[in-house]
Amino acid sequence: MKKTLLASAMTLALAGPAIASEHSGTYAFDTEGAHQFITFEVSHLGFSTLYGRFNDFDGEFVFDAENPENSKVNVTIDTSSVDSNHAERDKHLRSEDFLFVDEYPEATFRSTRVEVDDDGEEADVTGELTLRGVTREVTLEVELQGHGEDPWGGYRMGFDAETEIRLKDFGIPMDLGPASETVKLEISVEGIRQ
């Protein structure tokens, strides 16, 4: 899982010598260009793998190249935007059995700690994930994808991240058996420096 979340998360933590201090700053997720994704995968009864995504989410990250441990990320997800490419299943995912979007229309992630690895290309970003009204500490494995000037005069930075969560930890009552207890989340974001 040392690849990437999901935003997510992905807070820039990575850096160190790889990025000069002039690249520090606050980066807003590129929602207009839709250069961001939060996807999930979970086993269906141990027989197949179900894939899906959240179509609407927003956030920002603060990148501190000189002190990457001070970097941070905030993400807000519209849980009603869940999309598994099947309307009836999505209706079920929005119900009380799973996301209960009528009661909990948003999920959030707020970073609390960033730990960069020795080469400065990957980091563990720990934070509070709130889903279905329950807040738990999760750690995202984050990888820097790149940074630099874009063709429109802006400056961009992008990260991939991933983590796994247990459904029961967030009060999701639906039980599809042992093979379906955990969900893998993958996040990819491209931020534009403000």
Side-chain angles (χ1 to χ4, degrees):
M1 259 214 226
K2 203 58 171 165
K3 179 208 163 195
T4 142
L5 80 177
L6 178 125
S8 153
M10 324 83 334
T11 122
L12 24 83
L14 316 336
I19 300 178
S21 61
E22 60 265 24
H23 306 311
S24 295
T26 298
Y27 290 75
F29 289 8
D30 182 13
T31 56
E32 184 176 340
H35 294 116
Q36 56 185 32
F37 299 89
I38 294 180
T39 62
F40 60 86
E41 61 181 83
V42 61
S43 174
H44 183 253
L45 305 172
F47 303 133
S48 64
T49 303
L50 169 68
Y51 297 90
R53 56 183 275 171
F54 290 97
N55 292 326
D56 297 322
F57 68 96
D58 200 359
E60 69 175 20
F61 57 83
V62 176
F63 178 73
D64 186 337
E66 293 185 350
N67 300 287
E69 67 279 3
N70 293 333
S71 299
K72 57 187 175 181
V73 62
N74 294 307
V75 183
T76 300
I77 302 164
D78 176 357
T79 55
S80 69
S81 72
V82 65
D83 181 356
S84 68
N85 198 35
H86 188 278
E88 285 303 309
R89 178 171 52 229
D90 292 345
K91 183 178 178 181
H92 191 201
L93 291 174
R94 294 183 186 109
S95 76
E96 292 183 43
D97 286 343
F98 289 99
L99 296 172
F100 199 4
V101 300
D102 287 344
E103 187 73 21
Y104 307 104
E106 290 185 344
T108 60
F109 177 81
R110 305 279 184 261
S111 64
T112 56
R113 185 171 69 252
V114 173
E115 297 175 306
V116 184
D117 69 3
D118 292 339
D119 66 9
E121 293 300 317
E122 295 181 345
D124 288 336
V125 177
T126 301
E128 295 181 343
L129 174 64
T130 300
L131 176 65
R132 210 177 186 275
V134 178
T135 300
R136 299 282 187 194
E137 183 177 88
V138 300
T139 298
L140 304 176
E141 295 179 349
V142 181
E143 182 180 7
L144 172 67
Q145 292 302 307
H147 65 92
E149 295 180 0
D150 65 26
W152 308 281
Y155 198 91
R156 294 174 182 252
M157 187 177 292
F159 296 88
D160 287 346
E162 67 178 30
T163 192
E164 284 190 0
I165 62 171
R166 287 174 43 87
L167 297 180
K168 294 272 186 218
D169 289 347
F170 292 90
I172 295 174
M174 193 69 181
D175 185 357
L176 296 175
S180 306
E181 290 180 350
T182 61
V183 174
K184 181 179 180 181
L185 298 172
E186 296 192 12
I187 303 112
S188 179
V189 297
E190 185 174 302
I192 304 172
R193 189 166 62 187
Q194 302 303 288

